[in-house]
Amino acid sequence: MIPTEEASARRREIEEKLKQEEETLSFIRESLEKSDQLTKNMVSILSSFESRLMKLENSIIPVHKQTENLQRLQDNVEKTLYCLDHVISYYHVAKDTEKIIREGPTGRLEEYLGCMAKIQKAVEYFQDNNPDSPELNTVKLLFEKGKESLESEFRSLMTRHSKPVPPILILDLISIDEEIETQEDVTLEHLPESILLDIIRISGWLVEYGRNQDFMNVYYQIRSSQLDRSIKGLKEHFRKNSSSSGVPYSPAIQNKRKDTPTKKPIKRPGRDDMLDMEIDAYIHCVSAFIKLAQSEYQLLTEIIPEHHQKKTFDSLIQESLDNLMIEGDNIVSAARKAIMRHDYSAVLTIFPILRHLKHTKPEFDQVLQGTAASTKNKLPSLITSMETTGAKALEDFADNIKNNPDKEYNMPKDGTVHELTSNAILFLQQLLEFQETAGAMLASQETSSSASSYSSEFSRRLLSTYICKVLGNLQLNLLSKSKVYEDPALSAIFLHNNYNYILKSLEKSELIQLVAVTQKTAERSYREHIEQQILTYQRSWLKVTDYISERNLPVFQPGVKLKDKERQVIKERFKGFNDGLEELCKIQKAWAIPDTEQRDKIRQAQKTIVQEIYAAFLNRYGNVPFTKNPEKYIKYRVEQVGEMIEKLFDTSA
């Protein structure tokens, strides 16, 4: 049981807490009462504010709606006024622009195009809104007049500012690729920059708004004429400078050129300087066409719409390309006529040109890409024509060498090299410069399966075979011609000279290597032929030396008096030798051996043979009393005989 004191204390504690709780409750009640009062006051204020807002809204909304309507009315009025101004402006376009359109676009292209834009809009407006109005016809006529003026301005700018490219500049352009090691490009400014910009603006307008393509015809006609004039100017430049040393280039390029002489055509013996100039001019004109055509295409792409560029370019280059092809055909035609006359040196004009055409064909093909098939086929047709004509010339030349009928006429009286031989060798030597071209000519006429797999080695073998054929035909003809001579010795000298000339000519050039491709023993064969002819010639001296050779001399005993018959034989031997020596020396002195080395060799060999036999004869009979007048028979000392033989083959002796 809890003690009484603890219970009292516990009660007091509880009473204290209860009193505190009552005080707290009383505070909360007071606070709630105040809060309720504040809430009532706030509700009263808000109710009053809401009432005022409603009154304000009811007053403002009608004003706002009225203002909005007024604003809308103002906008409509402004739009109506703007539309009226815009419509009225179309009626003023003709009047506002007529003066400028009449005066033309020269010097004020942008302003003019601005006027044309206004006129075009007026046309569109009247067509859409008032197609029967007289104003439509007015602006239409003005638009057409403006378009005509722009077309006229296009033509005028193109005509006044298109100039032929100077020959010197064309040569520089060609030389950049061919010879000059420089990073600088030679650029062609066909039209001044400002003029080009105007032309581009006009062409753009004519395509987009003018619905006109006539200006493209104007363009290609004017540029075609300038291209043709540029190439013709280059050709004329060659003619004027043909007598000078080389073809001059501009100082800027000349200073950059390599330290080699100006490029000139290789001088070919028997060729005409004027002909060489014509060949060189044509070759340069072909290169010029490529470069100028490339440049023309670049210019064209800036002015002509893309889908019209190829066709316009095709038309632009036709005249110049046709002129080149016609000139090439004329060269082919002249070559054919030369073949008929058996003038084969003229045919050589085809070789450098054909080589250049084939060399530049890839560039040609690239330039003509996209043109008509007829345009693309022009160069291949010319190349084929040249190859066919060249191959025909080669074959006819070989046949002419074999069948040349000139046996009795024009035969050299001195047995020297025949004109046929020198001409044939010269022709073959000139072919060396064009080995690939000549080989390809021959290959182009082959129908065998091997020809279809054409290679440079195949071409080289064909050319070797051809050269061997010409040399074989020449040898047969020379043998036939040699029979014209009545004297076998002169015939031998003739063949010796010709064979020796052929061999030396082969050895001095690459011909011997080319011949060796198909005939390894050709050189040895010619040497054997030469030696054979020397032996044949030496037999002509037998009728002289036979008189004094030991087998034909009488045998007698020393100290025994000669019989009359023996003395007579010795006299006849001396006389026969003397007469034969004098006759042969007289005849053979007029013969010729142009090769100094061969001439000395043959004379020395003959001198040795005759002197040895004559010395033995003199030693045996010089002191024999076979005559009372020894000086009558012993006319020459051994040395004198040698001196006489030394003068053989020397017409100046």
Side-chain angles (χ1 to χ4, degrees):
M1 188 166 191
I2 304 172
T4 304
E5 289 181 4
E6 288 181 5
S8 297
R10 179 76 174 160
R11 187 182 299 112
R12 283 194 300 271
E13 183 180 346
I14 291 170
E15 287 175 354
E16 280 286 331
K17 285 184 178 181
L18 183 61
K19 186 179 180 180
Q20 288 176 358
E21 292 294 334
E22 286 175 349
E23 288 176 357
T24 302
L25 182 61
S26 177
F27 176 76
I28 289 171
R29 283 196 185 104
E30 288 177 2
S31 296
L32 285 172
E33 288 175 358
K34 286 181 181 178
S35 177
D36 286 342
Q37 187 62 42
L38 288 172
T39 300
K40 288 178 181 178
N41 291 340
M42 180 61 69
V43 168
S44 176
I45 291 169
L46 288 173
S47 297
S48 175
F49 186 69
E50 182 181 9
S51 175
R52 290 179 182 179
L53 278 176
M54 289 182 67
K55 289 180 181 179
L56 181 63
E57 183 178 341
N58 291 333
S59 301
I60 288 176
I61 284 176
V63 174
H64 174 72
K65 287 182 177 179
Q66 188 177 7
T67 303
E68 191 177 51
N69 290 334
L70 288 172
Q71 183 68 45
R72 188 179 296 111
L73 288 172
Q74 183 180 354
D75 288 345
N76 289 339
V77 168
E78 288 179 355
K79 286 179 181 178
T80 303
L81 288 173
Y82 175 79
C83 289
L84 284 172
D85 287 342
H86 185 65
V87 170
I88 291 169
S89 71
Y90 289 131
Y91 286 85
H92 292 160
V93 164
K95 181 182 177 182
D96 293 344
T97 60
E98 185 179 10
K99 182 174 182 293
I100 293 175
I101 297 301
R102 188 176 65 250
E103 291 174 353
T106 304
R108 53 177 176 187
L109 180 61
E110 288 304 320
E111 183 183 5
Y112 195 89
L113 292 177
C115 289
M116 289 299 292
K118 291 178 182 178
I119 296 169
Q120 186 179 5
K121 287 179 181 177
V123 170
E124 292 170 354
Y125 171 79
F126 289 121
Q127 283 177 335
D128 293 341
N129 299 283
N130 196 358
D132 297 326
S133 65
E135 284 81 4
L136 176 59
N137 289 332
T138 302
V139 290
K140 267 188 174 181
L141 289 172
L142 198 58
F143 183 82
E144 289 302 317
K145 181 173 177 56
K147 186 170 78 169
E148 289 174 5
S149 293
L150 284 170
E151 292 168 359
S152 177
E153 179 71 2
F154 182 89
R155 180 188 291 274
S156 175
L157 289 175
M158 288 296 302
T159 303
R160 283 189 286 117
H161 297 282
S162 290
K163 300 281 190 296
V165 181
I168 296 294
L169 192 55
I170 296 175
L171 288 170
D172 291 349
L173 192 68
I174 297 170
S175 299
I176 286 294
D177 284 349
E178 290 183 354
E179 296 179 13
I180 301 176
E181 296 175 356
T182 175
Q183 296 299 316
E184 296 182 20
D185 290 331
V186 176
T187 55
L188 297 179
E189 187 184 71
H190 293 292
L191 297 165
E193 184 66 26
S194 60
I195 301 301
L196 176 60
L197 291 175
D198 283 354
I199 288 172
I200 292 171
R201 288 282 285 121
I202 294 173
S203 69
W205 188 92
L206 289 173
V207 170
E208 187 173 357
Y209 304 109
R211 304 292 188 270
N212 178 285
Q213 296 183 9
D214 291 344
F215 78 94
M216 299 181 202
N217 296 333
V218 171
Y219 178 86
Y220 91 70
Q221 288 166 2
I222 293 172
R223 292 309 307 170
S224 174
S225 174
Q226 298 308 324
L227 174 60
D228 191 53
R229 288 175 62 192
S230 297
I231 294 175
K232 285 177 177 174
L234 177 63
K235 187 182 293 185
E236 187 61 31
H237 178 76
F238 269 85
R239 287 199 182 99
K240 288 180 180 177
N241 292 278
S242 60
S243 58
S244 62
S245 57
V247 180
Y249 293 76
S250 70
I253 294 296
Q254 194 69 48
N255 293 337
K256 296 178 184 294
R257 295 175 69 80
K258 297 175 183 177
D259 297 330
T260 55
T262 305
K263 185 179 180 182
K264 291 181 67 179
I266 297 172
K267 181 62 187 167
R268 303 173 181 91
R271 291 287 296 282
D272 190 318
D273 284 340
M274 188 57 68
L275 185 59
D276 276 332
M277 184 278 295
E278 291 290 344
I279 296 169
D280 207 33
Y282 184 75
I283 287 172
H284 276 77
C285 285
V286 169
S287 294
F289 171 80
I290 293 172
K291 293 298 179 186
L292 292 175
Q294 288 171 340
S295 182
E296 285 292 344
Y297 188 75
Q298 290 172 358
L299 177 66
L300 178 144
T301 56
E302 297 187 70
I303 299 171
I304 304 298
E306 184 175 358
H307 55 290
H308 290 284
Q309 288 172 2
K310 294 295 185 182
K311 183 179 178 182
T312 304
F313 180 68
D314 199 339
S315 301
L316 190 157
I317 62 173
Q318 282 303 313
E319 184 178 3
S320 296
L321 181 59
D322 282 345
N323 286 341
L324 277 180
M325 296 303 108
I326 288 169
E327 193 170 345
D329 288 336
N330 290 339
I331 291 169
V332 172
S333 178
R336 289 195 184 113
K337 291 176 182 176
I339 295 171
M340 294 174 68
R341 298 193 308 269
H342 303 300
D343 175 13
Y344 299 99
S345 62
V347 174
L348 290 166
T349 57
I350 287 180
F351 286 85
I353 293 172
L354 178 57
R355 179 174 64 182
H356 187 69
L357 290 179
K358 294 181 79 171
H359 175 70
T360 56
K361 187 178 181 295
E363 281 188 281
F364 246 106
D365 292 342
Q366 187 176 10
V367 168
L368 302 182
Q369 191 175 13
T371 57
S374 58
T375 303
K376 292 177 182 175
N377 289 335
K378 287 180 179 178
L379 180 67
S381 296
L382 178 59
I383 287 175
T384 300
S385 178
M386 284 192 168
E387 283 194 324
T388 303
T389 302
K392 176 75 164 55
L394 291 177
E395 291 304 319
D396 281 17
F397 176 76
D399 291 341
N400 185 65
I401 293 296
K402 181 179 180 180
N403 302 316
N404 184 282
D406 188 12
K407 292 182 180 178
E408 298 181 8
Y409 304 102
N410 293 331
M411 287 296 289
K413 291 184 173 62
D414 57 1
T416 189
V417 177
H418 197 280
E419 185 180 11
L420 180 68
T421 302
S422 57
N423 287 343
I425 293 299
L426 177 60
F427 186 85
L428 294 179
Q429 286 174 334
Q430 289 172 350
L431 281 185
L432 280 177
E433 189 184 344
F434 309 103
Q435 290 184 47
E436 287 186 19
T437 306
M441 272 183 184
L442 296 168
S444 70
Q445 306 305 302
E446 289 288 314
T447 56
S448 62
S449 58
S450 58
S452 61
S453 58
Y454 166 72
S455 66
S456 58
E457 182 58 31
F458 174 72
S459 168
R460 187 171 170 81
R461 290 190 67 81
L462 277 180
L463 186 57
S464 174
T465 302
Y466 172 77
I467 290 173
C468 291
K469 177 182 177 181
V470 171
L471 293 175
N473 289 351
L474 177 60
Q475 190 171 334
L476 289 173
N477 200 322
L478 290 172
L479 278 169
S480 177
K481 288 185 187 308
S482 70
K483 294 172 183 174
V484 171
Y485 294 113
E486 295 180 0
D487 191 333
L490 181 54
S491 178
I493 290 297
F494 171 76
L495 289 175
H496 163 274
N497 284 333
N498 282 270
Y499 292 156
N500 184 64
Y501 178 83
I502 293 170
L503 178 60
K504 289 294 176 68
S505 299
L506 294 178
E507 290 176 332
K508 285 179 183 176
S509 64
E510 293 178 35
L511 280 172
I512 195 68
Q513 289 96 326
L514 204 50
V515 167
V517 172
T518 53
Q519 281 197 15
K520 305 291 185 187
T521 61
E523 187 174 359
R524 187 180 71 195
S525 178
Y526 272 112
R527 294 195 187 283
E528 289 173 355
H529 286 317
I530 291 167
E531 290 303 318
Q532 183 60 47
Q533 298 311 317
I534 292 175
L535 292 175
T536 302
Y537 161 74
Q538 288 177 343
R539 281 199 289 273
S540 69
W541 281 85
L542 290 177
K543 60 184 178 182
V544 177
T545 56
D546 275 356
Y547 280 106
I548 58 174
S549 61
E550 189 171 347
R551 67 179 183 276
N552 294 326
L553 294 175
V555 180
F556 60 90
Q557 295 295 326
V560 178
K561 186 177 181 181
L562 294 175
K563 298 176 183 178
D564 290 342
K565 183 179 179 181
E566 292 174 335
R567 284 198 298 272
Q568 188 59 37
V569 169
I570 294 172
K571 289 177 183 178
E572 288 174 358
R573 295 293 181 266
F574 269 107
K575 186 177 187 308
F577 173 78
N578 293 336
D579 292 346
L581 175 66
E582 291 166 0
E583 182 185 3
L584 273 189
C585 287
K586 180 181 178 182
I587 293 171
Q588 295 185 6
K589 188 174 78 170
W591 297 354
I593 299 180
D595 187 317
T596 306
E597 183 182 345
Q598 285 291 309
R599 185 170 64 238
D600 291 344
K601 174 185 172 183
I602 291 171
R603 284 196 301 210
Q604 189 59 44
Q606 201 58 54
K607 174 182 170 182
T608 301
I609 294 169
V610 176
Q611 277 188 322
E612 285 181 358
I613 296 173
Y614 185 59
F617 179 73
L618 273 184
N619 185 50
R620 187 165 185 176
Y621 297 103
N623 296 318
V624 173
F626 64 92
T627 179
K628 294 179 180 179
N629 301 307
E631 66 278 358
K632 179 181 177 181
Y633 297 98
I634 307 176
K635 293 175 66 173
Y636 303 105
R637 300 189 310 278
V638 174
E639 294 76 12
Q640 286 177 305
V641 171
E643 290 169 1
M644 291 171 71
I645 294 174
E646 286 281 356
K647 294 178 181 178
L648 297 179
F649 317 116
D650 188 357
T651 54
S652 64

